[in-house]
Structures are given as structure tokens and as C-alpha cells.
Amino acid sequence: MNTLEFLSTLRGLDVRLAVEGERLKIDAPQGVLSDPLREELRARKEEILAYLRRAADGSGGRLPPIAPAGAADPAPLSVSQERIWSLVQFDPANPLYNMYMAFRVDGELDCAVLEEALNDLVGRHEALHTRFTLVDGQPRQVIEPAPRWTIPLTDLQGLDGAAQLDAVDRLVAEETGRPFVVDQEPLLRLRLLRLHESAFVLVIAMHHLIADGRSWEVLLRDLGALYTARVRGERPQLPELPLRYIDYAVWQQALFEQAALDDQLRFWQEQLAGEVQELELPTDFRLSSRAGDTGSRLKTRLCSELTEAVRAFSRQEGSTLFLTLLTAFDILLHAHSGQTDLIVCTPVACRHQPGVHEVIGYFNNLVLLRQDLAGGPSFRELLDRVRDTALAAYENQDVPIQRLVELPNLLRVRLTRAMFAIQESLENGLVLDGLQVEALDIYNETANFDLYLSLIDRGEELEAVLEYKPDLFKEETIRCLLADFAEVLQTAVDHPNRPLGEFLPGRRRLQLTAGPASAGDFLPPRTGVEAQLARIWEEMLQVRPIGVRDDFFALGGHSLLALRLFGKIEREIGANLPLSALLKSPTIEYLARLIDHPDEKSRWSYLVPIQPLGQKPPFFAIHGADGNVLFWRNIVSQLETNQPFYGLQAPGVDGRSRTVSSIERMAGLYLAEMRQVQPRGPYYLGGYSMGGEVAFEIAQQLGRQGEEVALLVLFDTSNPVRPVRPHILGDMADEEKDRLLHRTDDRIGSLRRKLQGHLERLAPLSPAGRWRYLWADVSMRARRLRLRLLVSFYHGRGRRLPDDLLLAYLSESHLKAVLRYVPTVYPGVVTLFRAAESLVDNPADSPMGWLPLAEGGLDVHVYDGSHQIYNPKLAVEIGSILNRCLAAAQARGLAAPG
């Protein structure tokens, strides 16, 4: 191992080295520096000093130094912050990126002095009084003047025993789980709970946008030092920070403009070359889509004998504890997945640039450790491979993970499967003069990774914490995995030359949840593209194995899942396929052919031939609020075999184009496409939910063009006079509720009417109620503004909208279209299908609301079910009713004169 490799190892362990005259200053987390590492440091001291001096004067450093950015306010976000910010915009109420700690403090805590120390701390670190907002459509961090802080104090002295403990648990969970409003407030919160005169609980929460693991160390150390100084009557003395976080953010963004990271990027392109496999761990539960963010965890301690044996083995092999434990984790994953090409994520502090080590901010990065386990190496041989992989990764850790996931070899790989880390315990991180401080074990039950194994050095014993997603794994499975990890370590230290295949000989291997059996003519993937698609289908449908001729819908697929599936295909394979492809042939074989032969793709069209064959006049069906038409497939399967059926999908459903928020314009676009298939009437058409209003408008336009409409069907479309679906109305601004309530009047309304409506609603409310009313209205408008800005952000860069954002965008646009539309009297018959549950849930939404608009009469059919007609269980009844309506309308057409 040369000096550079040795320094890379230390860097990965968050060991900081600095030159002070002729001395080598070492700053390392507790327990990291083993005896072999200390000996190596002594032996290489002169080489290390020379290397650090070269780096300091710019003659040997790989990256330019960080320089003060000046008055960059508002400042850009770092690349890592951009990713977190974007994720927060999708779900602002999700506390997934909250960081938190809680401490029990015993003794005579001076709350006033603690507040003074907190104000000193906030004034010292700009991140603690920074908020994040959009400026000219771009996210920026705005450093506000340091506010004057007070720490809320909740007195629980009146509660005894269990009641007090329950209150503490509830309040801590409330404080740590409450989301931050990143554009309106500082992203730090403290709260004190008084248990009795000399016992408190201190809760501290921060948002990941402003902090990482090292930031906690800095915050706790500085807060303790400032409190101690003030409680002793001394003036707090902390060294001035040479750099600010915004200096780092500006510097990092400039690295890409200056191509300073090109060498490191080339390393990762080579490291991730070839066929990169996603880790495929069998799971206990089959999900219809990806697991959510709900998390759980289990802990176990490795006995002191095993812990000492692992330490001794690491010393003997000239390894670090991290590398030995990581090698064992790789073997554990191999034993349960059968894969020999693994990718495991691990966090790195990324604070090796001078001047940033004591700054609170989000510097962390993830590095990808792609490990080759082929050939059945022994533990000792694999340890050498792991060491080489880790050293190279640490040396190239400056490329943000956000840039790596955009590499072609990673577009199809989900990286949030497995994570490994050694964590430093912060139990003794907060020291308050004259007080006993004990860290409390709290957890907000969220998880970023399917499996995240972290090891904490507890002195004589190592504690293993395995965080997991209970949507995927049972608790007993995780317990077995922890036991298996300990067994791998024991086997490694006892028999380091034992081949890989003799570790965990299959007796506890995870069993895949049984999925639906494939057809007897199961055909496995034959090409690379088919294999990629099969892996994506298996992940999305949670069924294994899937053959290339298996039917997407027969395996449990549905329209919403199809939308996510095609988004994932585009992200991971780079192919932008039309959703309508699933209607032509819902198989991997067909989609792979479209990807391999792009010239076979159909042109984009609003019109989708769901069943184009037959001699009868075609039926044209309009989408619902989510814009896609795949759900019609279930109903079409119940119609006469010679009944052609076409769906009309919405602009914007591809995630790249703009939506249309006008019923009239949608109707015109769709009608032009319909006439390509059927130039003259009579026409048969209908629409689901809001699509019913589009179908109604198409019928009106056809009538004005002198064409006949033989059948107009509104599939559970709300009446245009009364408000419907209170769960939707609850999220609207009151002025828009008012517009929906009075759609037959002046839709826009005057300013006086809007103001009067607000005043009438505010008048009977208490002061608190008025505040809640105004806050709800402002929050709703902020959500809509945020949605528009995010859509512009993605469209402006030519990128497909993420699935959740796309659905929100389509629904918002279509709701706006409905609110703007004023239907007029239709001269023909309106056929209305209504769900029995819709009528029960909202009696005000009477089908008779359509009667004033149906001059030819109203034909109502109530079916037993809900509004969700895409539910396959409803297809039989709805299809049967539609068959009768079509037959009757076609018979009338045949009987008509001429």
C-alpha cells in the first residue's frame, strides 16, 4: 500500500490530518485508530507531511482549493443539496430528511444560559439561519440575519410515572417528526421538556439540507463549549471559521464548469462499465410497487470475544475494521442473493478540503462499492479485493452520487437496496458543565434503503444496527440476517481461507414470496434488453420469475403501475415508449422489440387503438384525471368481439409535454384525431370522471358541425351544478369552491364577490380559526406554485417528470379545466353511469344535476361499486351495461330512415 492509498483509507474513516509546523496533527473519531494504523502513521510521517504540504501549496492537490465566495446571496445549492431539495418539493410533509437527537440532562440546568449559548452557536454557523427558496426558477439558499432564539419549555412535572414517560415519548416523536418548511423557517429546532427541577429532556432536530453526521459532532461540541463558558461567566472563545458553507457550494458547482472532476468521472465510468446488476434480495412481501419510506430496525451486539477476534484479525491482515466488516456484509448479501457482482453504498464525509471540517453543512456523499465475488475467493482473498475497491472509491469520492446515477450504466439500477457504514457514537457528544448528559435512543421509523447495516463501536463490543423496510421484510427475517452476519464474521476469523461457497451453506437463505405461476410455455429472457425489462417488471410487479411472453395485466399490472413502469424504463434504459404499447401487446417481448427497433414505434397520438378490429361503429373513450387510458382495457374485454374501441389519452401523459387545461381545447384536439378514424357520424363516445365533460363538449362540437351523436356516455361524471367529492374540495381555495358551487352563474366572479366570500367565511371564526383559514389558503396556493415551478424546472431541462409529480401535474391541470368549463344545453340524450357508492357518499351529487343540460333526456344506469371503474372487479358489470347501451343505440341507427 503506497502513501496515497494509505491516506485514502484514512479519509474513508474520517481521519483528518493537518500540518502544524513540523508536527502532524491527527483528528480521528473515537476507536477508529487501531494499533496497526498508529504504527503506519508513525512510519509514514515524513511522507505524509510532504504530501500534505504539496497539496496545501497547490503543487500536488487534485482539486483547486476552496476560496471565499464573497457576497453570494442568495447562493446556489451544492449538488447534494439540489437532490434533497428536489425530493422535498415532491413531498414537503414527509419527515424523511429530518435529523434529530434527544438527551436527558440531570442537574441544575441554566435554561437562560443554554439559550445564550444557542444564540452564540446560530450566529457562528450560517447554515442554522438559512432557508431555501426559488429565485428566477432556480433553488437558492438565503442566509437570513441570525434570529434571537428562545427554546420552548414544556413542563411535565405535574405528571407521574408512566404518564410522564408517555408524554415524553409523544412530544419527542412530535418534534422529530414535524416537517420543516424549508422556504420559510430556519432548519433547526430545539425543545426542552422539564421532568422535575433538576431533570430535563433536550430535543434537537435539523434538516438534512443543512447538516450531515459530522455537523452533529460540531454542533454538540460547540454548544457544549459555549454553554460551559457562559455558565462559568467567561466570554466564549471559539476559533474563527475560515470558510462558510456557501463557499463550498459555489466551489463545488464551479468544479463541473471547470471540468476539474473529469478524471474522477472517468474512473467511475470505468468502474461501472459493463452490465451492472441491481442487488436482488428476495423479500418476504410482494408489493404492487416500490416500498415506501416507512422504516424499522433491529439491534444486536457482537459478543466481546467475537469483537476482539475481529479486531485482532484486522490488525493481523493490515486491514481496518471497516474493511473487514464490509467484506462480511458482501458475503452476507451474496449468500442471500446468489450474485457475484454487488453494489453497496457507503457514506463518506467529503470534508478533506482545508477549511470545511468545522463547518455545519451538508457535505456528505455516497460512494458506490462495486465488488466482484466471482471465482469463489476465500475471505482473505475477498478482503484484498474489497480493500482495493474501497481505496479507489475514496480517492474519487468528490463526484456527487447525483451525477453518477445519470451514467448510462446506472440509469437502470436502483441504488437504494443496501448500505453499509461504521458510525461513531455521539452518546457523549454533548458535554454541559456540571451536568450529567445521556443520549436517548429515538427513531422516527423512516428508511431510505431497503437494508442499511451500521456498526457502532461500543468499546468491548460492536453493536450492529440493521435498518430495513417492513414493507419488504418481516422482523424475523431481519433477526436471521443479523445472526447470519455474526456467523460470517466468526467463520472468517476462524477459517479465513475457507472458500466463499462454504459461508452460510443455504440453511437460512431468504425465501422469495410465491408469485402467480407463469404459463406452461414460460420463456426466459433471451437478449440483454429483455433481461433488463424482466428485472424491472419483477421489481415493479413483485413477481418472479417473469417470462418474456407473460401478460403485464395478468400479472397484476394496472394503469397507474404502467405509468410508473414506463417512467422507470425511460430512466434506466433510456427508452421513451408510448403507454399505448401495452395495449397492443403487454409483454416484455414486444417492448424489447420496440426498444431494439425504434423505427417501429408509433407516432405520438392522443388516439390509442385499444381494440381496433370489428365491423361496428367505433366507440371513443376519454381518459380520467390521470390522463391515461389503459384502464379501459378491462371494460373492452367484456364487449362484443367485433366492437372497435379507441381511447383518447391526455396531452402531457408522457411526462415531457405540456398539459391542456381547457375542456374546449381538449375536445377539439381529440375530435380531430377521431375523424382520422371515422370521418362522418353517427358517433359513439364517452368519458370517465372529468373525461365525461370532455366527451360532452366533443358531442356539442360535433353537433355544431352537423354531425350526429348516437350515444354519449358519462362514466361516473359529477353533475355540473353541485359540488362533489369533499376530499377534493377540501384542498381547494375557497374562491374555487365557490366557483364550483355556482358554475351556472358568472364563473370568474368579481373581486368584490371574492372578497365578500372570504369575509363571510372569516366572520364567525375565532382568531385561531381565522389564522388556520388563511394559512390553509396560503398553503394551498404555495403548493400549486411549487408544482408549477417544479414542472418548469424539469421541462426546461428536457427531462421527464417523476411519477408522483406527473400525476399531481395532470390532476391539477385537469381540475383547473373542469373549474373553467361552463357546459351549455345539449340537444340529445345523455347516458349517465353512476357508482352506487358515489351516490351514498355524496347525496348532493345527484344524477339529476345533468337533467337541465340534457334536452333529449337523461338515461341513468347505477352500478354496484365505487368511482374507481379501473378496478377489474367492476369491469363485468360496467361492460355489460355498455354492451346493452351500444346495442340499443346501434339498433336505433339501423332503424332510422335512410
Side-chain angles (χ1 to χ4, degrees):
M1 184 188 305
N2 61 33
T3 299
L4 188 57
E5 292 173 332
F6 180 63
L7 290 174
S8 296
T9 301
L10 296 178
R11 182 185 302 171
L13 297 172
D14 201 17
V15 176
R16 281 84 62 180
L17 303 177
V19 178
E20 287 189 351
E22 296 301 314
R23 296 177 61 249
L24 179 62
K25 182 182 177 182
I26 303 170
D27 184 7
Q30 181 180 0
V32 166
L33 284 182
S34 62
D35 290 341
L37 284 179
R38 293 181 187 277
E39 294 171 7
E40 190 86 3
L41 278 165
R42 283 192 289 269
R44 295 181 180 269
K45 176 182 174 182
E46 296 304 321
E47 297 175 23
I48 293 171
L49 285 170
Y51 178 87
L52 293 177
R53 290 188 183 107
R54 289 198 304 273
D57 66 17
S59 60
R62 300 182 63 189
L63 296 176
I66 301 175
D73 189 15
L77 277 60
S78 68
V79 179
S80 298
Q81 283 180 319
E82 285 179 345
R83 175 176 177 271
I84 298 293
W85 179 86
S86 179
L87 293 171
V88 168
Q89 304 314 300
F90 297 152
D91 192 0
N94 193 333
L96 181 63
Y97 297 101
N98 286 12
M99 306 174 71
Y100 47 84
M101 293 192 75
F103 300 88
R104 174 164 176 136
V105 181
D106 288 291
E108 300 301 322
L109 174 67
D110 191 323
C111 298
V113 169
L114 183 63
E115 283 188 354
E116 291 299 324
L118 174 61
N119 280 286
D120 293 337
L121 178 78
V122 172
R124 174 175 171 80
H125 294 283
E126 288 183 345
L128 302 181
H129 50 98
T130 294
R131 62 182 179 87
F132 295 78
T133 189
L134 283 168
V135 178
D136 297 329
Q138 297 297 319
R140 291 288 185 266
Q141 45 187 326
V142 179
I143 302 167
E144 302 283 10
R148 183 69 187 172
W149 282 72
T150 58
I151 303 177
L153 175 64
T154 302
D155 197 332
L156 302 178
Q157 294 181 95
L159 301 176
D160 295 323
Q164 190 181 75
L165 291 176
D166 289 344
V168 169
D169 289 343
R170 176 177 55 81
L171 292 171
V172 169
E174 175 185 297
E175 198 64 30
T176 59
R178 181 158 53 96
F180 286 95
V181 183
V182 301
D183 59 347
Q184 297 178 21
E185 62 180 343
L187 304 188
L188 168 72
R189 284 198 300 262
L190 280 81
R191 185 171 184 176
L192 273 171
L193 310 177
R194 187 192 296 273
L195 307 182
H196 52 77
E197 283 302 318
S198 58
F200 299 81
V201 170
L202 172 63
V203 186
I204 308 175
M206 291 191 289
H207 197 282
H208 219 334
L209 273 168
I210 64 163
D212 53 17
R214 171 61 187 171
S215 296
W216 273 116
E217 297 178 46
V218 175
L219 182 147
L220 296 177
R221 185 203 59 209
D222 285 4
L223 182 62
L226 292 165
Y227 176 84
T228 296
R230 284 195 171 274
V231 84
R232 292 177 179 177
E234 302 170 358
R235 184 177 180 83
Q237 296 289 334
L238 288 175
E240 183 179 350
L241 295 173
L243 292 172
R244 305 177 297 163
Y245 184 80
I246 64 168
D247 299 330
Y248 169 79
V250 171
W251 170 82
Q252 189 190 44
Q253 294 285 3
L255 292 180
F256 292 95
E257 297 174 8
Q258 301 163 5
L261 291 175
D262 282 3
D263 288 344
Q264 292 194 36
L265 193 55
R266 275 191 288 272
F267 161 81
W268 288 110
Q269 289 169 338
E270 295 172 3
Q271 179 72 6
L272 301 169
E275 192 72 20
V276 179
Q277 299 178 3
E278 181 176 299
L279 179 62
E280 293 291 349
L281 280 177
T283 58
D284 292 311
F285 302 110
R286 182 177 74 244
L287 298 180
S288 59
S289 60
R290 182 179 301 181
D293 297 324
T294 302
S296 189
R297 64 178 181 176
L298 280 180
K299 298 180 179 183
T300 189
R301 291 212 178 192
L302 306 181
C303 66
S304 57
E305 293 80 9
L306 178 55
T307 297
E308 179 50 38
V310 172
R311 293 189 198 278
F313 176 80
S314 300
R315 291 193 295 267
Q316 173 189 322
E317 298 297 316
S319 174
T320 64
L321 188 61
F322 171 83
L323 294 174
T324 302
L325 296 169
L326 173 60
T327 303
F329 187 54
D330 283 342
I331 291 177
L332 178 74
L333 297 177
H334 163 75
H336 289 290
S337 70
Q339 292 173 251
T340 57
D341 183 5
L342 300 174
I343 289 186
V344 175
C345 295
T346 192
V348 288
C350 235
R351 290 176 179 253
H352 47 280
Q353 292 295 319
V356 299
H357 190 255
E358 303 304 318
V359 176
I360 290 178
Y362 183 31
F363 296 86
N364 260 20
N365 193 17
L366 291 179
V367 295
L368 307 179
L369 303 178
R370 184 184 185 186
Q371 199 55 58
D372 176 18
L373 288 80
S378 67
F379 187 92
R380 180 170 276 139
E381 292 167 339
L382 182 58
L383 178 59
D384 288 338
R385 296 186 191 180
V386 170
R387 179 190 292 113
D388 292 343
T389 299
L391 290 176
Y394 292 147
E395 192 58 31
N396 293 277
Q397 66 177 271
D398 297 294
V399 179
I401 186 70
Q402 292 77 13
R403 299 301 170 94
L404 293 185
V405 298
E406 297 173 357
L407 294 175
N409 290 75
L410 287 186
L411 285 175
R412 61 182 180 80
V413 179
R414 185 161 66 93
L415 300 174
T416 54
R417 302 306 306 268
M419 174 113 144
F420 178 83
I422 287 186
Q423 294 186 344
E424 182 180 358
S425 172
L426 292 177
E427 287 185 350
N428 301 315
L430 179 60
V431 178
L432 301 175
D433 190 57
L435 302 171
Q436 181 179 344
V437 182
E438 176 189 2
L440 302 180
D441 184 23
I442 57 175
Y443 180 55
N444 72 350
E445 298 182 345
T446 59
N448 272 314
F449 285 76
D450 294 354
L451 289 175
Y452 178 10
L453 178 64
S454 58
L455 278 296
I456 303 173
D457 195 339
R458 301 292 187 188
E460 290 188 357
E461 295 179 337
L462 290 169
E463 183 177 54
V465 182
L466 189 51
E467 187 178 278
Y468 65 99
K469 293 187 175 181
D471 289 343
L472 298 176
F473 300 103
K474 298 176 182 177
E475 181 178 323
E476 52 264 38
T477 298
I478 300 302
R479 202 176 303 281
C480 288
L481 284 174
L482 284 170
D484 284 353
F485 180 69
E487 183 176 329
V488 170
L489 283 172
Q490 190 67 61
T491 304
V493 297
D494 291 342
H495 308 285
N497 293 318
R498 179 170 289 181
L500 189 65
E502 296 182 19
F503 286 75
L504 298 178
R507 65 185 180 279
R508 291 201 199 97
R509 182 159 299 184
L510 301 179
Q511 298 300 311
L512 177 66
T513 303
S518 298
D521 59 346
F522 175 83
L523 186 62
R526 301 153 298 182
T527 68
V529 172
E530 287 183 346
Q532 293 174 36
L533 288 172
R535 180 189 55 75
I536 292 173
W537 281 39
E538 288 173 354
E539 177 184 328
M540 299 293 286
L541 294 165
Q542 288 294 298
V543 175
R544 294 181 178 85
I546 294 179
V548 299
R549 291 177 181 165
D550 289 346
D551 187 291
F552 172 79
F553 298 101
L555 293 171
H558 50 77
S559 57
L560 181 59
L561 190 58
L563 187 66
R564 295 172 179 165
L565 174 76
F566 276 55
K568 189 172 180 65
I569 289 173
E570 180 171 0
R571 291 192 302 272
E572 301 194 1
I573 300 181
N576 183 17
L577 300 175
L579 277 173
S580 56
L582 275 182
L583 294 170
K584 184 172 183 180
S585 180
T587 65
I588 289 171
E589 183 177 49
Y590 177 67
L591 297 185
R593 186 164 71 246
L594 289 183
I595 293 172
D596 288 333
H597 302 89
D599 54 306
E600 293 187 16
K601 292 182 188 176
S602 303
R603 72 175 181 89
W604 166 260
S605 172
Y606 305 119
L607 197 69
V608 178
I610 298 175
Q611 202 295 95
L613 306 177
Q615 302 303 314
K616 294 184 177 183
F619 186 84
F620 298 95
I622 317 299
H623 58 81
D626 68 358
N628 85 63
V629 296
L630 297 183
F631 70 91
W632 289 113
R633 179 182 183 274
N634 296 322
I635 293 172
V636 171
S637 68
Q638 306 298 319
L639 302 182
E640 298 290 338
T641 55
N642 63 341
Q643 175 61 63
F645 196 104
Y646 292 83
L648 286 146
Q649 61 186 349
V653 77
D654 61 347
R656 292 183 176 276
S657 54
R658 297 281 179 177
T659 61
V660 173
S661 54
S662 162
I663 296 291
E664 294 88 344
R665 188 175 170 215
M666 272 189 274
L669 292 171
Y670 300 166
L671 180 53
E673 296 269 349
M674 289 167 53
R675 301 194 85 159
Q676 295 293 317
V677 174
Q678 184 185 357
R680 302 299 304 271
Y683 287 94
Y684 300 76
L685 69 152
Y688 165 55
S689 193
M690 62 79 56
E693 299 202 36
V694 181
F696 186 90
E697 176 61 24
I698 292 175
Q700 295 281 47
Q701 293 185 18
L702 282 168
R704 290 194 290 270
Q705 295 171 17
E707 296 289 351
E708 178 189 355
V709 176
L711 180 64
L712 170 61
V713 183
L714 312 185
F715 293 87
D716 210 36
T717 300
S718 300
N719 80 56
V721 178
R722 298 293 299 167
V724 293
R725 293 179 184 79
H727 67 283
I728 295 178
L729 289 174
D731 289 335
M732 289 185 190
D734 282 297
E735 66 185 66
E736 295 199 0
K737 290 184 187 179
D738 195 52
R739 284 165 56 187
L740 190 55
L741 281 163
H742 304 88
R743 286 170 53 179
T744 54
D745 301 330
D746 176 15
R747 291 192 66 257
I748 300 175
S750 66
L751 180 61
R752 178 183 303 172
R753 176 181 166 185
K754 293 178 184 178
L755 181 58
Q756 181 181 355
H758 282 300
L759 293 175
E760 289 174 354
R761 285 182 283 270
L762 284 167
L765 299 178
S766 65
R770 292 172 185 173
W771 170 250
R772 286 193 296 271
Y773 173 91
L774 294 172
W775 178 250
D777 189 77
V778 170
S779 297
M780 181 281 301
R781 296 177 188 277
R783 286 196 300 272
R784 292 185 172 179
L785 175 61
R786 184 183 295 115
L787 175 65
R788 290 196 295 272
L789 292 172
L790 279 171
V791 169
S792 298
F793 178 81
Y794 278 90
H795 280 166
R797 287 155 179 76
R799 294 164 59 184
R800 183 185 184 277
L801 299 182
D803 302 333
D804 292 344
L805 180 59
L806 173 58
L807 288 172
Y809 176 49
L810 290 166
S811 298
E812 174 76 12
S813 178
H814 293 155
L815 179 60
K816 185 183 297 183
V818 168
L819 292 170
R820 290 174 173 173
Y821 181 55
V822 181
T824 56
V825 176
Y826 172 64
V829 177
V830 173
T831 300
L832 181 62
F833 287 28
R834 287 311 309 269
E837 289 184 18
S838 296
L839 299 177
V840 172
D841 292 342
N842 192 4
D845 184 19
S846 166
M848 293 302 103
W850 281 102
L851 190 57
L853 297 174
E855 190 173 65
L858 186 65
D859 182 20
V860 180
H861 300 266
V862 178
Y863 61 90
D864 186 18
S866 68
H867 180 66
Q868 284 76 29
I869 69 168
Y870 45 78
N871 186 330
K873 295 179 181 178
L874 298 180
V876 175
E877 184 176 1
I878 293 174
S880 175
I881 298 172
L882 183 56
N883 263 325
R884 295 198 301 270
C885 292
L886 283 167
Q890 290 161 0
R892 287 193 298 270
L894 291 173

